[in-house]
Amino acid sequence: MADDESLVGPGRIELLETIAETGSIRQAALRMGMSYRAAWNAVDAMNKRTGKVLVTRLAGGRAGGGAVVTEAGLKLIKAFRASEKRHAAYLLKLNARLAELIG
């Protein structure tokens, strides 16, 4: 959360990962079944809410443009995925404790 608004979630992290993999916001959007506009709006919102550039666009031209997930973006992906793992481990532990109490 940032300023009471969602900063990232699984979908936005997947978008960042797909941009990193494809080197393109457009290709990432296509792969994820979303419009370029929706993908760019998500990237722009994350950039603004974090106050950091998570994705930079490369100038077009004959070879075309592209996009790069910055070091800040890669750190965000890593932190989110680590948090997911900790959360999943906690839920497993909680479920085991509840099963002990019930059964």
Side-chain angles (χ1 to χ4, degrees), residues 3-82:
D3 297 327
D4 295 328
E5 293 188 44
S6 177
L7 173 64
V8 294
R12 287 186 173 180
I13 292 297
E14 182 183 356
L15 177 61
L16 290 176
E17 290 170 329
T18 308
I19 292 168
E21 184 180 321
T22 62
S24 166
I25 296 171
R26 184 172 307 284
Q27 289 301 312
L30 286 171
R31 192 178 284 184
M32 292 182 66
M34 62 193 306
S35 70
Y36 172 82
R37 182 178 176 94
W40 172 248
N41 285 342
V43 167
D44 190 46
M46 288 187 286
N47 283 342
K48 287 178 180 171
R49 290 183 189 148
T50 61
K52 299 195 180 291
V53 177
L54 304 177
V55 175
T56 57
R57 292 190 289 183
L58 305 175
R62 190 175 292 256
V68 175
V69 177
T70 66
E71 188 64 31
L74 294 173
K75 285 180 180 179
L76 180 61
I77 292 168
K78 186 176 179 179
F80 185 87
R81 293 300 184 201

